[in-house]
């Protein structure tokens, strides 16, 4: 039997980290992110330049969770330093899809999908904004939390799901075309 599983997440420069009873808070130049790991039986220790993640007497699932926690924390560092940006394009064969961004860039309306009169409204998740890129039929979804950004992009995509038709032929919709960062990190 394995005694413990351990992994170290290196803290990014320019970010401050607080750990309070398995709730990790990361502050950086773009803002602050907070994530709770209370549902996992793990030990999080803040060292000088890293976070130590440890699980004692783990089973297979607990061993897998250690790497997952490490990835979540690294995504938080990337979010508060660079931010996440998903570009989305509207694809249509005949009826042009109109996308309106309303309510201070926090809501998206999709008009004229497959010629329907029904207006599809999507509320973006907290901390996520939507902007037009300036290109035709393209928008970008931005934010610091990768989970909220990707879920908001998925909600927009799922709002334009084709029903009761052959999806091999009717490829209309709003799809993610590119996943990048808002600002690139300067190389030292």
């Amino acid at each position: 039997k394995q005694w413990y599983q351990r992994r170290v997440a290196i803290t990014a420069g320019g970010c401050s980290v607080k750990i309070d009873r398995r709730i990790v808070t990361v502050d950086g130049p773009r803002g602050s992110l907070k994530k709770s790991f209370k549902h996992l039986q793990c030990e999080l220790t803040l060292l000088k330049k890293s976070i130590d993640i440890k699980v004692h007497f783990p089973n297979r699932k607990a061993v897998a969770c250690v790497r997952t926690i490490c990835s979540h924390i690294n995504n938080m560092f990337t979010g508060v330093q660079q931010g996440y940006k998903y570009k989305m394009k509207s694809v249509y064969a005949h009826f042009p899809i109109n996308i309106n961004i309303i309510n201070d860039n926090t809501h998206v309306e999709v008009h004229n999908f497959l010629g329907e009169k029904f207006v599809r409204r999507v509320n973006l998740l907290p901390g996520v904004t939507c902007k037009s890129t300036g290109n035709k039929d393209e928008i970008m979804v931005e934010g610091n939390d990768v989970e909220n950004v990707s879920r908001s992009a998925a909600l927009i995509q799922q709002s334009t799901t084709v029903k009761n038709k052959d999806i091999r032929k009717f490829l209309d919709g709003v799809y993610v075309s590119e996943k990048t960062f808002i600002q690139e990190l300067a190389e030292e």
Side-chain angles (χ1 to χ4, degrees):
K1 183 94 174 143
Q2 197 176 0
W3 281 17
Y4 66 88
Q5 177 73 23
R6 178 172 178 251
R7 198 168 184 89
V8 175
I10 307 296
T11 56
C15 294
S16 64
V17 185
K18 286 196 286 278
I19 298 175
D20 180 36
R21 291 171 285 175
R22 286 183 289 188
I23 295 175
V24 180
T25 310
V26 178
D27 295 311
R30 291 188 50 82
S32 175
L33 285 176
K34 191 178 200 177
K35 197 176 229 24
S36 172
F37 298 105
K38 287 198 173 228
H39 59 287
L40 298 168
Q41 304 299 313
C42 63
E43 186 181 311
L44 298 173
T45 314
L46 184 61
L47 306 173
K48 278 186 180 175
K49 293 201 174 203
S50 62
I51 299 169
D52 195 32
I53 305 150
K54 196 185 281 188
V55 177
H56 293 279
F57 300 107
N59 55 12
R60 265 184 76 179
K61 286 188 176 177
V63 168
C65 286
V66 172
R67 175 71 181 258
T68 305
I69 294 169
C70 191
S71 298
H72 280 310
I73 292 171
N74 286 335
N75 285 342
M76 289 167 75
F77 284 129
T78 308
V80 295
Q81 284 189 308
Q82 295 174 273
Y84 291 96
K85 172 168 50 174
Y86 281 29
K87 286 186 181 172
M88 302 187 78
K89 278 192 175 158
S90 60
V91 178
Y92 50 85
H94 188 273
F95 295 103
I97 299 172
N98 296 329
I99 301 172
N100 292 343
I101 301 159
I102 54 171
N103 288 7
D104 202 26
N105 297 342
T106 57
H107 292 67
V108 174
E109 281 185 349
V110 181
H111 294 269
N112 201 32
F113 174 68
L114 291 178
E116 295 174 7
K117 295 290 181 200
F118 178 71
V119 178
R120 290 158 170 77
R121 290 180 179 86
V122 178
N123 302 336
L124 302 180
L125 295 168
V128 180
T129 60
C130 187
K131 295 177 189 160
S132 176
T133 59
N135 296 348
K136 186 175 182 281
D137 300 327
E138 194 175 50
I139 58 170
M140 57 186 171
V141 183
E142 297 179 334
N144 291 348
D145 191 351
V146 69
E147 287 185 23
N148 285 358
V149 172
S150 56
R151 276 178 58 201
S152 297
L155 288 171
I156 294 169
Q157 181 175 331
Q158 287 170 358
S159 73
T160 59
T161 307
V162 178
K163 301 280 198 303
N164 303 325
K165 290 186 177 63
D166 187 357
I167 57 170
R168 295 169 298 181
K169 182 71 176 166
F170 291 84
L171 300 170
D172 294 26
V174 184
Y175 299 104
V176 174
S177 61
E178 189 183 352
K179 299 177 183 180
T180 56
F181 303 111
I182 296 171
Q183 57 196 67
E184 292 299 326
L185 217 53
E187 295 294 324
E188 282 90 49

